[in-house]
Amino acid sequence: MPVPRFIVIELAGAASGKHADQLVFTMPGGGVMRMTNWRRSIFLSARHRAGLSDRFRVHDLRHTAASLMIQAGYPPKMLQEIMGHASITTTLDLYGHLYPGEMDRYADRSTRPPG
């Protein structure tokens, strides 16, 4: 997954001075961060504070990220790689509707006279 430079800088700062076997991200008490305890301790309370429905899942953040990448102009093949889909068909089945006008844009490109 591409990581913006400002995040790389933040991560480098968080990892600075740590040994290879030390954790960069931990739970508030210093324990190992696992999905189950992160969800219970962090995500559920953040969801509540944000006033989001109890139906909003961690997985919905993945779909939001994909939608934002499409809005930012990421091409479908790049999105496929980032999302880890084995096939571009999966990516387009899930997110193809978020590429409005793409078919027309590419069709226009191929029918222009040369020169």
Side-chain angles (χ1 to χ4, degrees):
M1 169 167 257
V3 180
R5 188 172 320 236
F6 77 93
I7 293 178
V8 170
I9 292 168
E10 290 290 324
L11 288 172
S16 179
K18 293 195 180 276
H19 293 84
D21 61 346
Q22 287 183 295
L23 301 172
V24 175
F25 300 105
T26 62
M27 292 304 295
V32 174
M33 183 181 294
R34 291 193 169 76
M35 180 60 149
T36 53
N37 59 18
W38 176 84
R39 183 181 180 281
R40 185 178 53 254
S41 299
I42 308 295
F43 178 76
L44 294 179
S45 62
R47 181 179 72 186
H48 177 74
R49 286 192 313 275
L52 297 172
S53 165
D54 288 350
R55 294 177 53 195
F56 186 81
R57 308 160 300 154
V58 173
H59 190 78
D60 294 325
L61 296 172
R62 176 180 167 87
H63 293 301
T64 300
S67 299
L68 292 172
M69 286 183 252
I70 292 166
Q71 185 179 28
Y74 285 52
K77 191 65 178 167
M78 183 182 292
L79 187 65
Q80 174 202 351
E81 290 180 32
I82 292 168
M83 301 306 286
H85 297 149
S87 166
I88 190 67
T89 304
T90 302
T91 307
L92 292 175
D93 283 349
L94 288 170
Y95 304 110
H97 67 286
L98 297 176
Y99 285 97
E102 290 292 296
M103 294 289 204
D104 293 337
R105 186 166 67 102
Y106 288 108
D108 288 344
R109 185 185 284 177
S110 65
T111 58
R112 265 186 269 170

